[in-house]
Amino acid sequence: MFKSVVLKLTGRYLVIIMALSIGFSLFLYKVYTDELNRTQYLQGTFFNTAFPGGLPGFDAFNQSQSAETRERLFSNLILFNLVVLIGGCTGGYVLARRTLRPIRDAFVAQSRFVADASHELRTPLTAMQTEIEVALRDNQLTLPDAQALLRSNLEEVAKLRDLSNNLLGLARQDRGGISMTKISLRTIADDALRQITPLLRQKNIHAENLVEPLTIKGNLSSLTELLVILLDNAIKYSSSDSQVKVSTRRQGAMVSLAVTDHGIGISPEALPHIFDRFYRADQSRSKAKASGYGLGLSIAKEIISAHHGDIKVHSIVGKGSTFVITLPLAQA
Ligand code: ADP
């Protein structure tokens, strides 16, 4: 399909190029022949005045010369247009490919995303369907069995809700156009830490807040979401009773915001992929399988790029990870 669209676009480019080239050639031919006729006329008048009897054979010679010049001009213009046609074909094809490549890449990424999302949606739905079907076939289903089934279904429903929230988050970031205001990093950190307090309590993890009140230009809810994603991961991939830290460091016109944990760490093989949509590193290293869909960090990355920032990760397996976000400071 990509090839046929490229060929169509090449055809359109070629029509424009050839219309310009033929138009230019016709114009040139007209101007040149008019000029030739004028010179021929002036030469004739001059010779008729200078030699009232006329020069024998002059008119015939003059006419054959101008006919030959016209023919030469015509064949040169045909040659020129052939060269433009060949050049236009190759150039147009290269240009069309180059123009359409980002659109094709976005299309491929979009289709892969839809396929991955439907796969992720299908898994909990199939689990629920199977459980319900088995329960319905069971004539001796007791109330405690039914309650256990409902509890399990509720868990799957909660997963589906999280997934749809994540997908909505990604769609929102993809659409772009978020409003930016001046905000203090301290406000963002306080908001994010408040949101994840129940998770911290659940695992008895202590969060150290060393964020300075530096001002950046950004969207409060997106940046809070970003920090919640990183803190949520820091807690998820750490064992109980450990520590996480959020800190800032000013570097000229930029500020780096770091989230550090002492959790399971990320292997060097997994590191290049953790920002890919739906990527989840091998969970067998963690004792309890952490929940998630592998969408958190891709949402984080989209938020950071909307704020013209950057994110880097330093991680040692078994020792912990530090995610460092660099953002431009707001101008005073
Ligand atoms: P998930 O929902 O799986 O947490 P993310 O996109 O947030 O999805 O993260 C992708 C993967 O990166 C995770 O599955 C995990 O393997 C790894 N990861 C992210 N943050 C951390 C962390 N702080 N410590 C260890 N591994 C992490």
Side-chain angles (χ1 to χ4, degrees):
M1 193 191 105
F2 179 65
K3 226 178 183 138
S4 77
V5 180
V6 170
L7 289 178
K8 247 188 222 162
L9 193 61
T10 310
R12 294 217 173 127
Y13 282 153
L14 205 61
V15 168
I16 297 170
I17 293 169
M18 287 320 293
L20 286 173
S21 171
I22 292 171
F24 173 71
S25 305
L26 288 175
F27 173 73
L28 201 73
Y29 187 76
K30 170 91 176 61
V31 169
Y32 197 77
T33 46
D34 281 355
E35 208 47 42
L36 204 67
N37 289 340
R38 207 171 79 87
T39 317
Q40 205 180 0
Y41 170 75
L42 288 176
Q43 272 178 356
T45 328
F46 170 74
F47 277 108
N48 283 340
T49 327
F51 309 100
L55 269 179
F58 173 75
D59 281 349
F61 172 76
N62 208 3
Q63 262 160 25
S64 84
Q65 276 294 303
S66 70
E68 198 187 313
T69 311
R70 245 182 242 126
E71 262 169 39
R72 261 210 317 270
L73 176 66
F74 188 73
S75 48
N76 278 342
L77 284 175
I78 295 275
L79 197 70
F80 169 75
N81 277 284
L82 278 176
V83 171
V84 171
L85 180 70
I86 296 166
C89 270
T90 356
Y93 184 73
V94 172
L95 205 69
R97 266 186 80 88
R98 202 168 286 175
T99 313
L100 291 172
R101 200 175 298 142
I103 301 170
R104 182 194 59 176
D105 292 350
F107 183 72
V108 169
Q110 188 75 13
S111 323
R112 207 183 53 221
F113 176 63
V114 171
D116 288 347
S118 7
H119 174 80
E120 294 294 334
L121 282 168
R122 219 173 36 211
T123 314
L125 284 173
T126 314
M128 275 168 68
Q129 189 185 4
T130 318
E131 280 180 346
I132 296 169
E133 278 171 357
V134 170
L136 283 177
R137 274 201 297 271
D138 185 355
N139 293 329
Q140 271 116 44
L141 188 79
T142 60
L143 185 63
D145 290 339
Q147 280 173 335
L149 170 79
L150 286 175
R151 260 194 299 278
S152 156
N153 280 351
L154 204 60
E155 265 176 37
E156 299 299 338
V157 170
K159 281 188 199 165
L160 284 170
R161 191 204 46 216
D162 287 350
L163 177 59
S164 66
N165 282 344
N166 279 336
L167 292 174
L168 275 174
L170 269 180
R172 213 174 30 237
Q173 297 308 324
D174 279 352
R175 269 203 308 275
I178 46 174
S179 66
M180 306 273 190
T181 48
K182 282 188 179 176
I183 2 162
S184 160
L185 280 177
R186 184 82 202 192
T187 313
I188 298 166
D190 289 347
D191 273 11
L193 283 164
R194 201 172 310 120
Q195 284 188 33
I196 52 125
T197 304
L199 300 177
L200 289 166
R201 286 216 184 105
Q202 230 172 41
K203 287 182 92 172
N204 195 30
I205 291 178
H206 174 71
E208 202 177 352
N209 183 355
L210 301 176
V211 175
E212 299 162 83
L214 295 164
T215 312
I216 59 162
K217 205 161 176 218
N219 181 275
L220 179 63
S221 69
S222 294
L223 290 168
T224 309
E225 188 184 353
L226 160 70
L227 205 54
V228 166
I229 291 170
L230 296 184
L231 285 166
D232 180 44
N233 279 349
I235 298 166
K236 226 161 49 177
Y237 301 108
S238 293
S239 48
S240 301
D241 307 313
S242 67
Q243 284 219 336
V244 298
K245 187 173 79 182
V246 199
S247 56
T248 42
R249 205 163 68 136
R250 196 187 168 141
Q251 295 160 310
M254 307 294 282
V255 58
S256 47
L257 177 71
V259 177
T260 309
D261 66 61
H262 304 284
I264 59 170
I266 306 162
S267 69
E269 304 84 64
L271 263 184
H273 307 290
I274 56 170
F275 294 99
D276 295 349
R277 289 176 180 185
F278 294 108
Y279 177 83
R280 305 202 72 211
D282 180 16
Q283 298 296 310
S284 56
R285 289 178 298 115
S286 61
K287 282 188 210 113
K289 285 196 173 190
S291 64
Y293 288 95
L295 286 175
L297 288 181
S298 40
I299 297 174
K301 201 165 181 191
E302 301 274 350
I303 296 174
I304 294 164
S305 75
H307 287 82
H308 312 290
D310 189 24
I311 182 161
K312 290 212 162 49
V313 193
H314 311 282
S315 190
I316 301 174
V317 174
K319 286 223 161 10
S321 316
T322 301
F323 286 76
V324 184
I325 306 160
T326 315
L327 291 166
L329 281 166
Q331 268 142 24

